[in-house]
Amino acid sequence: MNTSTPAPSRAIGLVGFDGDDTLWKSEDYYRKAEQDYLDLLSRYVDVHDTQTARHLLEVQQRNLAVFGYGVKGMVLSMIEAAIDITGQRIDAKDIQRMLDIGHDTLRHPVELIDGVRESVAAIAEHYPVVLITKGDLFHQEAKIKVARLHELFPRIEIVSEKDPETYARVLAEFNLPMQQFVMVGNSLRSDIEPVVTLGGWGIHTPYAVTWAHETQHGVADDEPRMVSTDSAWDWPAALATIEAKAKAAAAA
């Protein structure tokens, strides 16, 4: 497998892949955790009021800069939001149950999405590949180990945020211009927007459910540097399309 230098005849020199909800299922378990949280709060407040769930999202977004992404930050935000929205009436046993929600979510099974292993392997026969995923370091490392993804990715980056600065750093370490980089992911906010803003390319494969935070982005539906696909099985064909576009752009 080629792990460092691209073929000189190719316009694309590196393909990056997101982790959560691109390679393996994740958001389903966070949604269950949020529903369990709302079930706990039903003894204290009207959980059918959309403001209750919105309040949790607001607390999570406010805490991202402190706690980062992942289950641990989610649970701390749940506790903070519950104390606030119940006027400090939340029982200690219910706070313990929120901690239990976190433990259960951290132990969720790791299930690769259909077509992922085959498509990544096919792409890696012709291009260097890198896994770029954000979240809690321990949890992400555990999921990568269980899914045996080291077999597919010789280089793995677990980052605290996926913004233009992070992508620029990774590409600088590969000594590769952004115009030769493709990022594959489910999130327009984290996987596509920062990369195309810097002049790279994106393959967007939406997941069935998306965290509300990740739906906030500025990517147009007709973004010319992005190809949308229905499933992981479509990635090799999408990459071929981008390869042709990148060659045409380089020749112009």
Side-chain angles (χ1 to χ4, degrees), residues 15 17 118-129 184 203 235-236 239:
V15 182
F17 292 84
E118 295 86 348
S119 289
V120 173
I123 289 171
E125 289 182 5
H126 304 286
Y127 296 90
V129 297
V184 182
I203 296 176
W235 291 344
L239 182 56

Side-chain angles (χ1 to χ4, degrees), residues 102-114:
H103 284 289
D104 290 342
T105 308
L106 285 169
R107 291 192 293 264
H108 74 71
V110 181
E111 181 181 355
L112 287 186
I113 294 171
D114 190 38

